[in-house]
């Protein structure tokens, strides 16, 4: 089974990272969190420390089926390694996902050119060339999935489940979580 890598950097949005990991793991998908710092413990935007499964230089991107950027900070946009990894991964036709402020990374890489996308309010200008759909919680356009923000995290994660494991698995997890 291929893996899903969710990247953590100082100031990440805890809800978007941890809830996404939780939902994907409930669906039986293999998820690993990846620290973009030099430590396995990464502190989120609200002071919650999270222990990552791997450091960035330990990731085998050939074993991945999806790369995910939670939001909460613009620091992802300053990490050249993760930007190169996402660009290369997307260039191979693989799926990438970002929520909240992080679609700005995809916009800066040219990945959103001509694609539908959403983001946290105020970050629209960073989604270069995107067909903005900021009235939507989650936008799927080909191999790119974007989410609006923290309150839409469950819908974002359930959408990822549907893409990777099918609608029936999405519906089963949604039912367990008591969401529609």
């Amino acid at each position: 089974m291929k893996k899903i890598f969710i990247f953590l950097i100082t100031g990440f949005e805890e809800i978007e990272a941890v809830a996404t990991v939780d939902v994907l793991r409930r669906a039986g998908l293999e998820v690993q969190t990846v620290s973009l710092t030099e430590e396995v413990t990464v502190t989120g935007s609200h002071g919650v420390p999270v222990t990552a499964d791997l450091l960035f230089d330990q990731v085998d991107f050939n074993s991945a089926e999806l790369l995910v950027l939670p939001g909460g900070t613009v620091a992802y946009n300053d990490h050249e390694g993760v930007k190169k990894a996402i660009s290369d991964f997307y260039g191979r036709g693989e799926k990438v996902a970002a929520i909240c402020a992080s679609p700005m990374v995809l916009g800066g890489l040219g990945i959103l050119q001509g694609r539908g996308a959403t983001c946290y309010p105020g970050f629209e200008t960073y989604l270069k060339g995107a067909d903005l759909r900021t009235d939507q919680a989650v936008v799927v356009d080909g191999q790119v999935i974007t989410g609006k923000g923290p309150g839409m995290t469950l819908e974002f994660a359930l959408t990822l489940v549907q893409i990777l494991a099918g609608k029936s698995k999405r519906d089963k997890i949604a039912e367990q979580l008591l969401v529609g």
Side-chain angles (χ1 to χ4, degrees):
M1 173 185 292
K2 289 200 168 200
K3 297 176 185 169
I4 300 158
F5 293 111
I6 298 181
F7 299 100
L8 306 177
I9 199 164
T10 303
F12 72 93
E13 173 54 60
E14 293 95 339
I15 290 173
E16 294 165 354
V18 177
T20 300
V21 170
D22 179 284
V23 170
L24 294 171
R25 286 185 179 169
R26 285 174 191 256
L29 298 168
E30 189 170 350
V31 181
Q32 289 189 302
T33 54
V34 179
S35 172
L36 297 179
T37 71
E38 295 180 12
E39 304 292 329
V40 292
T41 301
V42 185
T43 302
S45 61
H46 299 97
V48 179
V50 174
T51 303
D53 299 308
L54 300 166
L55 296 173
F56 181 74
D57 62 0
Q58 297 173 313
V59 176
D60 173 12
F61 290 101
N62 293 318
S63 69
E65 69 177 318
L66 173 67
L67 303 182
V68 182
L69 290 174
T73 178
V74 298
Y76 289 104
N77 208 38
D78 297 328
H79 194 284
E80 294 302 320
V82 81
K83 290 193 316 188
K84 180 175 180 352
I86 288 169
S87 182
D88 292 348
F89 194 72
Y90 171 81
R92 292 195 309 263
E94 301 291 347
K95 296 172 193 66
V96 295
I99 185 169
C100 195
S102 288
M104 75 182 297
V105 175
L106 305 181
L109 294 170
I111 291 172
L112 298 179
Q113 190 69 39
R115 293 191 177 278
T118 191
C119 64
Y120 194 82
F123 283 85
E124 297 86 355
T125 58
Y126 300 103
L127 277 57
K128 306 229 184 313
D131 171 14
L132 293 175
R133 300 181 190 166
T134 53
D135 60 328
Q136 296 180 24
V138 179
V139 176
V140 178
D141 193 335
Q143 70 206 64
V144 179
I145 305 97
T146 53
K148 192 167 185 170
M152 287 76 177
T153 301
L154 286 179
E155 184 58 34
F156 177 74
L158 289 167
T159 299
L160 298 178
V161 168
Q162 183 169 334
I163 290 167
L164 300 172
K167 185 169 179 351
S168 63
K169 180 63 84 171
R170 180 221 188 272
D171 292 346
K172 179 180 178 187
I173 301 303
E175 182 180 336
Q176 290 173 354
L177 295 172
L178 304 177
V179 296

